[in-house]
Amino acid sequence: MTEQSMDFESAFRSLQEIIARLENSELPLEEAIKLYEEGKRLSEVCANILAAAELRVSTLPRELTTDENDEEAVF
Amino acid sequence: MFDFEFTTPTILTVTALTSYLREVLDSDEVLRDIWARGEVSNFKPAASGHVYFTLKDANAQIHCVMWRSAAMRLRFELRNGMAVEGHGAVSLFAASGQVQLYLDSLRPAGEGALYQEFLRLKARLEAEGLFDPGHKRPLPQLPRHIGIVTSASGAALQDMLQTLGRRLPLARVTLAATAVQGVEAIAGIIAALKALNTLTDLDVILLARGGGSIEDLWAFNDEGVARAIYASRVPVISGVGHETDFTIADFVADLRAPTPTAAAELATPITLQDLSAQLNLQTNTLQNLAAGHVEVRKTRLSLAEAALRQHSPRARVLNAAQRQDDLRERLDLAFGNQLRRQRQQLDALTSRLGALNPESVLSRGFAILTDPDSGKVISRRNQAQPGQTFRARLQDGSFLARALEKQEGAEKND
């Protein structure tokens, strides 16, 4: 199971960091292009996560123990 | 003040009597605003929506009427045999001569006692600081993992899952199912809250139940449940009953939502649509910044090219040629101006000359006298002697004339 929301947030944060670095206009062109390509990739990763997002619902065991979740269903 | 019809001073018509009775009942302070408790019997719903039944106990009964507008607000299903408490006013229905209780509200008996208990517990927990705004924990803007405490079979769960699925499908939901009414509800809710609090990555808990009577919601007014909410490490949003229902759980919770659906909405202040819009914005910024980097280089390049062109030998030759052209133009211009000025002077002189032309004098009626031999102009008296011949020149020719006599001064008209 992948943490889709975690992935989105970390990818989005990386995208924001790249944008912050690109705001420095003295960046060598080579590096700016590299950052742009990485940002573009992250933007697509984020968009794909949003497009594919589905609420995942699991139920705690009936006994309400502190064990890990049992079965998982996609709602 | 009463509209009596006297046949004799002491005998009333029935209409007058019932009318009087009604006035007496209606003006009674106690009967105007009264609570009555009893058992429902002879209840029959009418097509009109008005409700008629008899309220009775072991020894007595009174006929009750509830008009449609009040009956529509009933929060429970009225049945014969049900113990109820009703509020309204007592009056007389003249057509049947019956004293009736006109109800404006009705509730299951015992609700009043429950309400008193509710108020006592609320006051006590409030004094203890369980509702303290300072204790309310901040709610996450973007929860990754949401816990739900509710009944697995209730509509409230479906409402919440649907809302969460629509607003923030990125989230994970863990349901701690429990009874939310009846004898097991209190222990169940407390256990569910505790179990969810063992999940280390849980961001928020929704404690919810659909609408119901005050008894149905009673578990949410329990002190143990209140303390479990207060003790929860994970912030709790309550969404119990309808908008108008306030339970102790609502007061202790970090946020009170009016309904389960609203609880799910409040738990997800940022939606998938918001994230999508944010992502588009950031992606545009990325594009623009990258384009900016290229643009800056382009500008610098064209500036450099321009500088280079300016310093090339070819540019110098071209510059010299252009300077020469400039000079020629300026010369032409200056010369042209001088010519024009001289031409104007000439014109002015010519017109002045015209004014001095003797011909123009002759045309005004003057004559020029000359000596016919010498051709000299005779302009003074002493240039001519009487008898002398001279030539008079006029506008269109001349004739010879002779002087007769001299006179001094200019010619006068007599």
Side-chain angles (χ1 to χ4, degrees):
Chain A
M1 182 186 77
T2 58
E3 272 286 2
Q4 52 184 5
S5 70
M6 190 83 94
D7 283 351
F8 177 84
E9 278 184 79
S10 58
F12 192 73
R13 205 172 308 119
S14 302
L15 175 58
Q16 285 178 313
E17 282 163 14
I18 281 175
I19 286 167
R21 288 176 65 188
L22 273 174
E23 270 159 4
N24 170 14
S25 59
E26 291 312 310
L27 215 59
L29 190 59
E30 283 286 305
E31 202 180 330
I33 291 169
K34 232 181 257 168
L35 283 173
Y36 169 71
E37 279 167 355
E38 174 63 6
K40 195 80 189 134
R41 190 189 67 79
L42 287 167
S43 159
E44 274 160 23
V45 166
C46 287
N48 288 338
I49 291 172
L50 291 184
E54 276 181 302
L55 193 70
R56 287 155 313 143
V57 182
S58 52
T59 306
L60 284 185
R62 196 64 203 159
E63 316 84 75
L64 295 178
T65 59
T66 58
D67 294 347
E68 269 301 279
N69 318 341
D70 61 357
E71 83 258 66
E72 178 167 299
V74 168
F75 186 75
Chain B
M1 74 186 273
F2 303 122
D3 186 18
F4 290 172
E5 282 179 37
F6 293 103
T7 48
T8 74
T10 51
I11 302 173
L12 302 180
T13 63
V14 174
T15 300
L17 175 59
T18 52
S19 210
Y20 176 71
L21 270 173
R22 216 172 95 184
E23 293 289 348
V24 169
L25 294 173
D26 288 355
S27 59
D28 187 285
E29 293 288 331
V30 174
L31 295 177
R32 240 192 339 223
D33 176 15
I34 198 163
W35 280 98
R37 180 171 59 235
E39 187 182 301
V40 176
S41 70
N42 292 327
F43 164 61
K44 39 184 185 299
S48 61
H50 307 316
V51 167
Y52 307 97
F53 62 92
T54 304
L55 199 59
K56 64 171 191 179
D57 60 17
N59 306 313
Q61 62 180 42
I62 186 166
H63 196 247
C64 293
V65 178
M66 197 171 200
W67 302 124
R68 194 164 67 103
S69 55
M72 269 166 47
R73 291 198 304 269
L74 276 179
R75 293 266 311 280
F76 61 98
E77 204 183 326
L78 201 59
R79 287 186 307 273
N80 284 319
M82 188 181 260
V84 294
E85 294 164 350
H87 176 267
V90 173
S91 188
L92 184 87
F93 181 45
S96 67
Q98 236 174 343
V99 171
Q100 302 193 125
L101 179 53
Y102 293 84
L103 294 167
D104 51 41
S105 74
L106 195 61
R107 65 190 185 198
E111 208 167 83
L114 280 177
Y115 188 64
Q116 291 307 315
E117 194 186 322
F118 166 82
L119 289 180
R120 273 194 300 275
L121 179 61
K122 178 169 171 268
R124 186 154 58 82
L125 295 181
E126 187 164 21
E128 210 183 298
L130 262 72
F131 309 158
D132 190 353
H135 182 263
K136 310 273 184 218
R137 284 144 301 193
L139 296 163
Q141 290 292 296
L142 193 63
R144 294 169 191 149
H145 193 175
I146 299 169
I148 294 182
V149 176
T150 194
S151 158
S153 58
L157 176 62
Q158 296 315 311
D159 289 348
M160 286 187 285
L161 290 180
Q162 222 156 52
T163 304
L164 293 175
R166 175 169 47 80
R167 289 175 65 88
L168 193 63
L170 288 175
R172 242 176 83 202
V173 172
T174 297
L175 170 68
T178 170
V180 287
Q181 70 184 80
V183 287
E184 291 166 13
I186 291 169
I189 291 170
I190 294 170
L193 285 170
K194 280 185 179 155
L196 284 178
N197 265 282
T198 62
L199 303 179
T200 51
D201 66 342
L202 202 66
D203 296 309
V204 64
I205 294 175
L206 307 183
L207 171 60
R209 189 208 186 284
S213 70
I214 190 166
E215 287 99 335
D216 290 342
L217 305 181
W218 203 246
F220 295 88
N221 286 321
D222 179 78
E223 183 175 349
V225 169
R227 293 192 183 283
I229 295 169
Y230 188 76
S232 175
R233 175 183 53 78
V234 182
V236 176
I237 301 176
S238 69
V240 179
H242 295 298
E243 224 156 305
T244 50
D245 298 320
F246 272 88
T247 64
I248 299 283
D250 290 322
F251 292 111
V252 191
D254 298 285
L255 183 65
R256 182 247 174 192
T259 61
T261 300
E265 283 167 358
L266 290 172
T268 51
I270 296 174
T271 65
L272 187 79
Q273 283 72 31
D274 297 331
L275 292 175
S276 207
Q278 266 298 315
L279 180 62
N280 283 341
L281 208 66
Q282 296 290 349
T283 306
N284 281 344
T285 307
L286 177 76
Q287 303 267 28
N288 292 341
L289 284 174
H293 276 279
V294 174
E295 207 56 47
V296 164
R297 264 70 177 193
K298 265 193 191 163
T299 309
R300 280 185 200 157
L301 183 61
S302 58
L303 282 175
E305 277 173 356
L308 203 59
R309 267 200 304 277
Q310 209 160 29
H311 292 107
S312 76
R314 183 178 144 75
R316 279 190 205 176
V317 171
L318 286 176
N319 278 348
Q322 191 175 358
R323 229 176 355 256
Q324 198 176 0
D325 285 347
D326 279 354
L327 282 172
R328 183 173 301 133
E329 226 168 84
R330 280 165 59 195
L331 201 61
D332 286 352
L333 199 66
F335 198 60
N337 282 342
Q338 202 177 345
L339 272 179
R340 204 160 32 249
R341 214 162 29 244
Q342 286 174 346
R343 177 63 191 258
Q344 279 166 355
Q345 280 171 352
L346 185 61
D347 287 350
L349 285 172
T350 308
S351 77
R352 274 171 67 193
L353 215 53
L356 295 172
N357 186 356
E359 305 288 344
S360 66
V361 178
L362 297 182
S363 68
R364 298 211 302 270
F366 293 91
I368 298 171
L369 306 181
T370 55
D371 188 308
D373 302 322
S374 68
K376 280 181 71 179
V377 173
I378 301 168
S379 59
R380 296 196 172 276
R381 189 162 45 113
N382 56 13
Q383 286 181 287
Q385 301 305 315
Q388 182 183 340
T389 305
F390 53 87
R391 181 172 295 278
R393 202 168 144 223
L394 302 170
Q395 183 179 11
D396 52 351
S398 64
F399 52 79
L400 285 174
R402 176 165 295 143
L404 297 178
E405 183 188 359
K406 279 190 191 181
Q407 277 182 345
E408 290 199 27
E411 185 188 335
K412 285 178 193 153
N413 285 334
D414 298 301

